[in-house]
Amino acid sequence: MNELTQLTSLVVALKTVTLLLGGLITFFAFKAYRRTDSPALRALALGFGVVTLGAFLAGIADQIVGIDREVVLVIESTLTAAGFGVITYSLYVE
C-alpha cells in the first residue's frame, strides 16, 4: 500500500467517524427539541446537521464525484462555518 492510499483510507475512516458522531449529535439534539419544543435545541440540531452535511458532501464530492480537492475544501469549510454560526446562534436563543 503506498502512502497516498494509506492517507486516503485514513481520511475516509475519519470522515466516517465524523458522520456517525455528527449524525448522533444531530439526532439527539433534534429528539430533545421534539421533547421540549425549544427553539435553541432546534437551532442546535440544525447547526450540527449542517456541519455533518458539509462533511458528508465533501466526502461524496471528493471520493465519488472526483471534484478538485480545493473546491471540496471550500464546500466543507463553508458548510462548517455556517453550521457553527447556527450553533452559536442557538446559544443565544431563548
Side-chain angles (χ1 to χ4, degrees):
M1 208 183 233
N2 69 27
E3 193 173 313
L4 183 58
T5 303
Q6 289 176 333
L7 182 60
T8 299
S9 297
L10 177 61
V11 169
V12 168
L14 290 171
K15 287 286 185 188
T16 301
V17 170
T18 300
L19 290 173
L20 291 172
L21 293 175
L24 277 172
I25 291 169
T26 302
F27 171 75
F28 288 128
F30 184 73
K31 191 174 167 182
Y33 157 68
R34 294 285 304 247
R35 189 174 51 250
T36 64
D37 204 32
S38 166
L41 288 172
R42 180 182 60 223
L44 185 67
L46 178 64
F48 276 110
V50 171
V51 170
T52 303
L53 178 67
F56 175 72
L57 290 178
I60 295 296
D62 181 41
Q63 295 297 312
I64 295 175
V65 179
I67 295 175
D68 188 52
R69 290 206 168 153
E70 285 82 16
V71 174
V72 169
L73 183 60
V74 169
I75 292 168
E76 183 175 20
S77 297
T78 300
L79 289 171
T80 299
F84 283 138
V86 175
I87 291 169
T88 302
Y89 169 78
S90 78
L91 298 173
Y92 292 100
V93 174
E94 294 287 327

